[in-house]
Amino acid sequence: MKGYNRLLNMNKAFTNSCIGLIFLWGLFSCTPPAKEIITDINLDPNSAWFKKIQTFQDEQLIDSLYNYFRSKDPSQRFLAARAFGSIKKPEAIDSLSLLLSDPVDQVRAAAAFAIGQTGAETAAEKLAAAFERGPEAASHLLSNRAILEAIGRCGDETYLEFLSTISTYRPSDTLLLEGQAWGIYRFGLRDKINEKGTARMIDYVTEKDYPNEVRLIAANYLFRMKSVLLDSIQVDRIGDVLLSDSSSYIRMTLASAIGRSPSNKCLSYLRESYQKEKDYRVKCNIIRAMGGFEYALAKDLMQSALGDDNKHVSKCAAQFFIDHGMPDEATAYWQWAKDTFPWQVQLGLYRAVNRHLPIYYADYRDAINNELRLRAKNAGSVYERVAAIEALSEFGWNYRYIFREGFQADAPTIRGASIQALADISNKEGFATFFSGSSRYVRKELCAMFQQAIQSGDPGMIAIAAGAIREKSDIYKQHIDTLAPFEIALQSLELPKEIETYNELNKTIAVLKGQPLPEDTKPTYNHPIDWEKIKPNRKAVLRTDQGNIEIEFFPTEAPGSVANFIALTQQGFFNGKVFHRVVSNFVIQGGCPRGDGFGSLDYSIRSELTDRHYDQEGYIGMASAGNHTECTQFFITHSPTPHLDGNYTIFAKVSRGIEVVHRIQQGDKIQEVVLNN
């Protein structure tokens, strides 16, 4: 019987084998060969399908984008998935989740990025389930990295715990390490921090076997997470890297991190680093970090930094004395201000004098403020005059002079600065003590000034005044008889041109009515992409007072922003515009038609957000008052600024002339922008 069964089984096996062979023969002889699966991603901004998908993104036509999820072309699936990174709609999560199992890794990564951009905690489970752990993991490194970062944008503390305890990645696993580090960093930006995650980041930045890309992410984590304080052992580890690392990006971030743990050891590391440092950006961060230490221990270094040849460094040193100066040294700051420093430093020191000079130094006070009024009157530029007004505002009793001289100024920059100065006085700590028995009357006068500003029709003045009233609404409410002028001013604002001011004033009206803060109004779609402006290999040169800055555009990532910049250039819009905002070791910003940051034109463009990181200097992004409010203003980064990722469009990068970017100061002009042909 057993032999029979064995034969029977062999016979079945043979028969099945024959059937299988016959099937395979039929498959290969009777049917055409299967089409090869496309895996390459090719984006051509001049192709019809690219324009169509990008237009659907621009118009936020979700259902139209869904149709491309089923396309046979992975480039179309990729572009459609990425579109949702700008749209940020949680209702798209289920549909995007289907692409997490796409055969093409870049498509999976785009879907993961878009899901993370929603910020919805419910998305974390779908992302975690899509993380490839099996034998195919090596083929999905891009998507695995994107998934880990996306979980950091939307997961809860449980996922942070899991992410922080991963210890199996080797230094050669660059993409996985990047994903883990980005994930912990994104959690931190959402105020979700744990000791294990911090310890992991300290390991990554201090152990030089890890890739520099990963170490930079970890360094930025320590820079941005202000609640993270280092213990003695961690201080030594960080301090050694601060003194020896070849990357200025890493040194500048670690200087800030170590400065939050005030001890003699930290101070020693910072001072030694400053003495040997050549990069102004690192020096700026060291100066800022010195503010956490006893004034007497930092004063000598800060005083010497006032004379640094680099204006960014000397301005930061002046700011140190504004923020941390001492009353018994205020007259010394006055003497220093008369030295041959740039006006930015001189007026910074005047501001320090006015902030810290004891109230009973009446004779000094009168002389100082008379000098400041002369400086304001004879200033060589509107920004020098603004700095004089800021210095005057440090002595609150200047409020009437500031209002009288600034309110009617021709330059919108001066008008806005005067209201901002009054707002600073209004928010002054110890307001009641400073003004003593006159404080109630001064409050009433300030409220009347803010109301006049709201009725002025000037969008910059309105926005600042509205914010000042809202900040002290419990006090100013009693001095406001009617909200009718506020409502009239609100209805008079032009949208989308003055959307930032509209939202500020609308919030203030709600608070004064005792209502919850309304959500920001978003502009409706109003400015289609001009595809005629997109040409292959198009570049531009910004000719400035400090030299030329050459830039290359990213039309496959931000075609709407690129087309807008090119159109404005062809109109000559940027010619003569100034860089109105310069924050040392952060950004320079220009393109404002008013010169104060509140200027725009009568349209807005959409945000175009991709998974590109602000991880280098020289990235050019669109300034905004919230997503989809962009128009003419742009900024250029001094150094990595990854906290901006996913919220500010990157549409170009400096290809030559980055040293010019670092020389630019507030008020420097863009003489013209020239396009190549």
Side-chain angles (χ1 to χ4, degrees):
M1 182 66 70
K2 290 182 180 178
Y4 175 82
N5 288 335
R6 187 180 298 115
L7 288 171
L8 182 62
N9 290 335
M10 289 177 63
N11 184 55
K12 287 181 178 177
F14 179 77
T15 304
N16 290 335
S17 297
C18 289
I19 293 172
L21 288 172
I22 293 169
F23 174 76
L24 289 174
W25 176 83
L27 180 64
F28 286 104
S29 63
C30 301
T31 60
K35 291 183 178 179
E36 183 180 354
I37 297 175
I38 304 172
T39 59
D40 292 339
I41 302 293
N42 296 300
L43 302 180
D44 178 4
N46 292 303
S47 68
W49 63 263
F50 183 98
K51 294 177 182 178
K52 185 174 290 187
I53 294 174
Q54 201 69 36
T55 298
F56 289 152
Q57 173 185 322
D58 213 40
E59 298 178 10
Q60 302 199 348
L61 298 178
I62 294 176
D63 290 340
S64 298
L65 288 167
Y66 286 154
N67 291 331
Y68 286 92
F69 285 9
R70 299 188 296 271
S71 171
K72 294 180 180 180
D73 186 343
S75 299
Q76 297 182 11
R77 300 197 301 274
F78 170 86
L79 194 62
R82 193 182 70 181
F84 285 89
S86 300
I87 296 172
K88 300 183 179 181
K89 295 289 187 182
E91 55 264 37
I93 291 174
D94 287 342
S95 297
L96 283 166
S97 297
L98 300 175
L99 293 181
L100 292 175
S101 57
D102 195 274
V104 178
D105 198 31
Q106 293 98 315
V107 177
R108 293 188 181 198
F113 165 72
I115 290 172
Q117 283 284 88
T118 67
E121 282 197 357
T122 55
E125 184 176 353
K126 294 181 181 296
L127 289 164
F131 187 86
E132 184 61 63
R133 299 169 177 82
E136 296 296 318
S139 301
H140 298 291
L141 293 175
L142 285 175
S143 57
N144 276 350
R145 178 184 65 170
I147 286 170
L148 293 174
E149 180 173 5
I151 287 174
R153 295 182 187 273
C154 62
D156 60 19
E157 286 80 357
T158 304
Y159 286 99
L160 173 59
E161 178 74 13
F162 290 148
L163 205 57
S164 301
T165 54
I166 297 174
S167 58
T168 54
Y169 298 156
R170 300 161 300 177
S172 58
D173 296 328
T174 302
L175 292 178
L176 291 172
L177 288 167
E178 284 183 13
Q180 181 188 20
W182 279 127
I184 296 172
Y185 177 81
R186 300 297 170 205
F187 270 115
L189 292 182
R190 296 162 55 219
D191 294 324
K192 297 182 187 296
I193 297 172
N194 66 20
E195 291 184 4
K196 294 176 184 176
T198 298
R200 181 71 58 204
M201 298 300 244
I202 290 173
D203 286 344
Y204 287 162
V205 77
T206 57
E207 296 178 17
K208 296 185 179 181
D209 287 342
Y210 287 105
N212 265 358
E213 299 91 336
V214 178
R215 298 180 65 235
L216 179 59
I217 301 166
N220 272 278
Y221 170 89
L222 297 172
F223 171 40
R224 286 286 161 191
M225 308 312 137
K226 300 191 183 302
S227 62
V228 171
L229 299 179
L230 307 173
D231 62 31
S232 180
I233 295 175
Q234 292 169 335
V235 164
D236 283 336
R237 295 176 68 188
I238 296 295
D240 288 343
V241 178
L242 174 63
L243 293 176
S244 64
D245 205 271
S246 61
S247 169
S248 57
Y249 291 168
I250 289 177
R251 297 198 306 276
M252 69 179 70
T253 52
L254 295 186
S256 298
I258 206 170
R260 288 197 299 274
S261 302
S263 69
N264 290 337
K265 186 182 293 186
C266 293
L267 181 63
S268 176
Y269 280 123
L270 288 170
R271 292 180 70 93
E272 183 179 351
S273 176
Y274 188 89
Q275 297 299 336
K276 62 191 295 187
E277 187 57 61
K278 302 298 182 184
D279 193 311
Y280 84 87
R281 298 169 296 181
V282 186
K283 285 186 172 184
C284 286
N285 280 17
I286 291 174
I287 290 171
R288 290 163 179 155
M290 296 292 275
F293 298 89
E294 186 180 338
Y295 174 83
L297 300 176
K299 175 195 167 184
D300 62 327
L301 189 61
M302 298 300 99
Q303 187 175 351
S304 67
L306 290 170
D308 197 285
D309 291 338
N310 188 289
K311 284 185 182 179
H312 292 295
V313 175
S314 57
K315 285 191 305 179
C316 284
Q319 189 64 47
F320 172 88
F321 291 105
I322 296 170
D323 295 335
H324 308 290
M326 304 295 287
D328 59 354
E329 297 214 339
T331 54
Y333 308 152
W334 186 22
Q335 294 305 313
W336 299 349
K338 299 177 186 298
D339 206 340
T340 56
F341 296 129
W343 63 260
Q344 296 94 332
V345 178
Q346 290 178 335
L347 289 171
L349 289 169
Y350 267 108
R351 189 172 182 179
V353 177
N354 244 359
R355 176 174 292 191
H356 299 293
L357 190 72
I359 190 72
Y360 47 83
Y361 281 36
D363 292 341
Y364 285 105
R365 181 77 68 183
D366 289 344
I368 289 163
N369 283 283
N370 282 334
E371 289 178 13
L372 277 173
R373 291 177 186 189
L374 281 173
R375 290 292 294 261
K377 180 179 179 181
N378 299 320
S381 72
V382 293
Y383 297 103
E384 184 177 353
R385 190 174 176 191
V386 164
I389 291 171
E390 290 171 344
L392 284 165
S393 73
E394 294 292 347
F395 182 59
W397 283 109
N398 284 321
Y399 74 95
R400 288 176 181 163
Y401 173 85
I402 291 170
F403 178 74
R404 184 176 66 251
E405 296 298 316
F407 192 89
Q408 300 296 335
D410 293 334
T413 309
I414 302 297
R415 297 197 297 269
S418 69
I419 302 304
Q420 183 60 60
L422 297 178
D424 293 341
I425 293 170
S426 173
N427 294 329
K428 186 179 179 68
E429 187 176 346
F431 181 97
T433 301
F434 179 84
F435 288 105
S436 189
S438 302
S439 62
R440 178 175 171 80
Y441 184 77
V442 174
R443 281 288 186 203
K444 186 175 181 179
E445 277 197 273
L446 286 173
C447 188
M449 292 172 180
F450 292 141
Q451 289 182 80
Q452 285 189 55
I454 286 173
Q455 296 176 64
S456 69
D458 182 295
M461 296 171 73
I462 294 171
I464 297 167
I469 290 175
R470 188 169 71 250
E471 181 71 21
K472 301 292 181 183
S473 58
D474 55 330
I475 299 173
Y476 289 133
K477 192 181 295 184
Q478 59 189 304
H479 299 304
I480 297 173
D481 298 326
T482 174
L483 291 179
F486 290 67
E487 300 280 6
I488 292 171
L490 185 71
Q491 298 306 316
S492 299
L493 293 170
E494 299 178 44
L495 298 182
K497 181 179 181 180
E498 293 161 351
I499 189 71
E500 181 177 5
T501 300
Y502 182 93
N503 286 327
E504 282 293 313
L505 184 54
N506 197 34
K507 289 175 184 175
T508 298
I509 292 171
V511 168
L512 293 174
K513 288 181 176 180
Q515 299 172 351
L517 283 178
E519 291 187 6
D520 283 350
T521 296
K522 297 290 186 183
T524 56
Y525 179 69
N526 62 81
H527 193 74
I529 299 172
D530 185 351
W531 292 103
E532 292 298 317
K533 305 299 182 187
I534 306 294
K535 304 293 183 184
N537 303 316
R538 205 158 214 179
K539 297 183 180 181
V541 177
L542 281 66
R543 295 178 177 167
T544 78
D545 290 347
Q546 297 294 337
N548 291 350
I549 303 169
E550 297 183 14
I551 68 174
E552 58 182 22
F553 296 111
F554 299 150
T556 61
E557 298 180 27
S561 303
V562 171
N564 178 62
F565 189 92
I566 290 171
L568 291 170
T569 296
Q570 291 175 334
Q571 297 163 21
F573 171 84
F574 294 116
N575 299 353
K577 299 293 186 296
V578 299
F579 287 100
H580 63 275
R581 180 176 181 239
V582 175
V583 182
S584 299
N585 196 23
F586 181 39
V587 298
I588 62 173
Q589 186 167 323
C592 176
R594 289 168 50 91
D596 65 349
F598 286 97
S600 188
L601 298 179
D602 58 355
Y603 68 89
S604 60
I605 63 173
R606 298 290 199 183
S607 302
E608 296 171 300
L609 309 173
T610 71
D611 62 354
R612 184 185 286 271
H613 298 94
Y614 282 96
D615 55 1
Q616 298 178 36
E617 64 186 340
Y619 274 123
I620 306 176
M622 290 300 298
S624 74
N627 286 167
H628 311 308
T629 63
E630 296 89 336
C631 187
T632 66
Q633 295 188 45
F634 65 93
F635 59 85
I636 309 177
T637 60
H638 282 152
S639 55
T641 55
H643 62 292
L644 303 180
D645 294 350
N647 278 314
Y648 293 86
T649 302
I650 302 176
F651 71 94
K653 192 175 190 297
V654 174
S655 55
R656 181 182 292 181
I658 191 64
E659 71 282 356
V660 176
V661 174
H662 293 303
R663 285 200 298 265
I664 294 287
Q665 296 293 324
Q666 187 183 41
D668 282 336
K669 285 185 180 179
I670 302 171
Q671 297 166 0
E672 64 175 339
V673 180
V674 180
L675 298 170
N676 69 359
N677 291 323

